[in-house]
Amino acid sequence: MPIHGGSTAGTAAAGERGPSRRGLIRLAGTGLGLAALGAGAWGCGPVEEPAADATAPGRNGKNPSAGEAAPGDAFTTPPPGTAPGPLWQADAMAGALGAMDALAVAGDVVMVSGDPLTGRSLTTGKELWSREKVAVPGAKLLVAGGTLYLASARYDGDVVGLDPATGEETWRSRLGGKKYAQPRTIAVDERRVYVLAGILEADYSVEENVIAALDIASGKVVWQERRDKGTQEFGITAAVSGRHLVYTDFRENVTVRDTATGRQVWTKKIGRSNSERIAVHGGLVVVADGGRLRAFALADGTERWSLAADESYTRFHSPAVLDGVLYASDSAHVLRAVDPATGRERWRNAELLEVAYPWQFVTAGGNLYAATELDPKGGILAFDARTGKLRWTYNDGTGAVDKWYVAASGKRLAALHGKRLTALPAV
């Protein structure tokens, strides 16, 4: 029931003759070679990291292009092809374990899935709170209505809500006590938290599972439905849109349920197992199904449109709808902006072979930002949202072979890569 009532990419070594500044700008204009254009490529110094807290470089006001903010976050836009330097960097727990929602921002607080779970100021990098044993490994950080919802790390069948500003517990709900194995939060909206949980047999094994909705106001179970036999608790990706809860799984299904009753509206087989992000917009759900993007009507499952990749071996990844535009990349390193209602392309960028393909997107200040799959050619990419032109690539220079994650709040970006958390200006 409710409780209340690093361093940047290095410059050329001394004595080595690198490409000219004019030559780099020319390459940047073509969208090629930008993986080399981290902040260090333009003389921004390395960022040191004290063990106790974050470092904010450029605070002497001498280097605004490296991330210094004037009052009101009036960041200086860097030249074309030049990535901004980090505002600050800090150590982060390596607790993501590949989770889709390992990074979250609530107002000015940025949080990373791990143990301890820590909240930092996105503005200053200062640690605001730190709590051990509140997040299970790989926990999804789902925020709605100013509350962060997590499965209890005590493995007691509870779901808890934390205040992102303080880390304090403000909400708790029990799905069914000892009847169910540890629930996993999969989605949240303004009224309900949606969870999956295994049904415990007498010998404590789990053969079947339930999907349930918890009321945010009361903490009580609104509904719970046993899922079809043979379905799994893992590999679930979910999204909520009004009266529709949509999810995909490893069993090659797309399923829609009524958020008010839990009734299954429809389920449909797709061609490949899918644990990628899905996008819901305008009464449609868009999924990446191998070499096609497919849009289904939430109301009845009718396929409204399909967009095929250029080559048969190409696979789409994690679509997202932001500001009314669908963005999706594929394994051929082509990024598309698509009308989500019709599937028609608005623009494409096919000049990303020199960087890893994007898999997560956010928008801020009229620009599109993307996090890529793997280092060393990956990082945070900035695009002109109107044209798709690549503006810059930021890489932290660690060489860690980990996914990148990105989140945005106001005029700042939070970027997670391995054990490093970086704040960048959204310029």
Side-chain angles (χ1 to χ4, degrees):
M1 60 168 46
I3 285 182
H4 70 286
S7 67
T8 57
T11 56
E16 294 182 354
R17 184 176 181 83
S20 69
R21 182 183 180 95
R22 179 177 299 174
L24 286 172
I25 292 178
R26 179 177 55 81
L27 287 175
T30 67
L32 301 175
L34 285 178
L37 297 180
W42 293 93
C44 299
V47 179
E48 299 179 358
E49 297 180 50
D53 210 338
T55 293
R59 294 297 173 188
N60 58 8
K62 296 180 180 179
N63 193 9
S65 65
E68 176 60 38
D73 280 357
F75 300 113
T76 301
T77 301
T82 306
L87 300 169
W88 55 262
Q89 291 179 314
D91 291 336
M93 295 304 298
L97 298 178
M100 283 277 185
D101 301 285
L103 180 68
V105 173
D108 185 52
V109 182
V110 56
M111 297 161 286
V112 178
S113 179
D115 188 18
L117 181 65
T118 303
R120 289 185 178 273
S121 166
L122 185 55
T123 301
T124 67
K126 179 182 178 181
E127 183 179 294
L128 303 176
W129 53 266
S130 179
R131 293 195 60 192
E132 296 182 346
K133 299 179 181 180
V134 297
V136 300
K140 292 185 177 183
L141 303 185
L142 303 179
V143 179
T147 300
L148 170 67
Y149 294 96
L150 297 164
S152 170
R154 295 180 180 178
Y155 297 93
D156 53 9
D158 288 5
V159 177
V160 299
L162 305 182
D163 181 350
T166 64
E168 295 298 319
E169 184 178 314
T170 59
W171 185 90
R172 180 175 287 263
S173 176
R174 170 149 292 185
L175 176 61
K178 297 181 179 180
K179 291 174 56 179
Y180 300 106
Q182 175 69 10
R184 294 170 177 83
T185 55
I186 60 171
V188 63
D189 57 24
E190 291 74 16
R191 300 181 61 187
R192 301 178 183 91
V193 183
Y194 304 92
V195 300
L196 285 177
I199 302 172
L200 284 175
E201 304 294 337
D203 61 357
Y204 295 101
S205 64
V206 174
E207 295 183 2
E208 297 183 60
N209 58 87
V210 297
I211 187 167
L214 307 175
D215 184 73
I216 287 177
S218 67
K220 296 180 179 180
V221 177
V222 180
W223 52 259
Q224 57 186 23
E225 295 287 330
R226 186 183 295 252
R227 298 178 68 214
D228 294 341
K229 193 168 185 177
T231 56
Q232 298 176 340
E233 300 172 64
F234 305 96
I236 301 293
T237 302
V240 186
S241 177
R243 288 289 297 268
H244 299 100
L245 170 66
V246 194
Y247 54 94
T248 64
D249 57 40
F250 285 151
R251 292 288 187 179
E252 304 176 8
N253 300 308
V254 180
T255 303
V256 173
R257 290 183 181 271
D258 187 307
T259 55
T261 66
R263 178 181 62 88
Q264 183 168 295
V265 181
W266 57 266
T267 187
K268 186 180 294 287
K269 288 286 184 182
I270 55 176
R272 300 191 61 151
S273 60
N274 192 313
S275 59
E276 300 277 353
R277 292 181 185 274
I278 58 179
V280 291
H281 179 79
L284 301 177
V285 54
V286 182
V287 300
D289 185 8
R292 290 189 297 161
L293 291 175
R294 302 177 69 185
F296 301 99
L298 291 174
D300 58 14
T302 302
E303 186 167 353
R304 295 292 180 82
W305 58 260
S306 176
L307 177 64
D310 296 338
E311 304 291 342
S312 59
Y313 58 81
T314 302
R315 183 172 182 176
F316 279 106
H317 301 277
S318 295
V321 176
L322 302 168
D323 301 328
V325 180
L326 174 69
Y327 299 101
S329 66
D330 63 34
S331 56
H333 299 238
V334 176
L335 173 63
R336 293 170 173 83
V338 177
D339 183 338
T342 65
R344 295 191 183 95
E345 285 190 14
R346 296 188 176 185
W347 53 254
R348 67 164 56 192
N349 187 327
E351 299 178 340
L352 301 177
L353 288 176
E354 297 300 318
V355 296
Y357 61 77
W359 78 282
Q360 187 182 28
F361 304 94
V362 296
T363 54
N367 294 308
L368 173 69
Y369 300 93
T372 68
E373 276 281 351
L374 301 174
D375 214 84
K377 292 185 177 182
I380 302 300
L381 313 181
F383 299 90
D384 185 319
R386 296 169 301 172
T387 65
K389 181 179 180 181
L390 180 62
R391 298 180 57 244
W392 49 259
T393 299
Y394 172 81
N395 186 292
D396 60 10
T398 64
V401 183
D402 292 277
K403 279 185 176 182
W404 287 75
Y405 298 79
V406 65
S409 181
K411 296 183 178 180
R412 294 172 182 265
L413 305 175
L416 174 64
H417 182 226
K419 295 183 179 181
R420 176 168 291 184
L421 180 63
T422 301
L424 296 169
V427 292

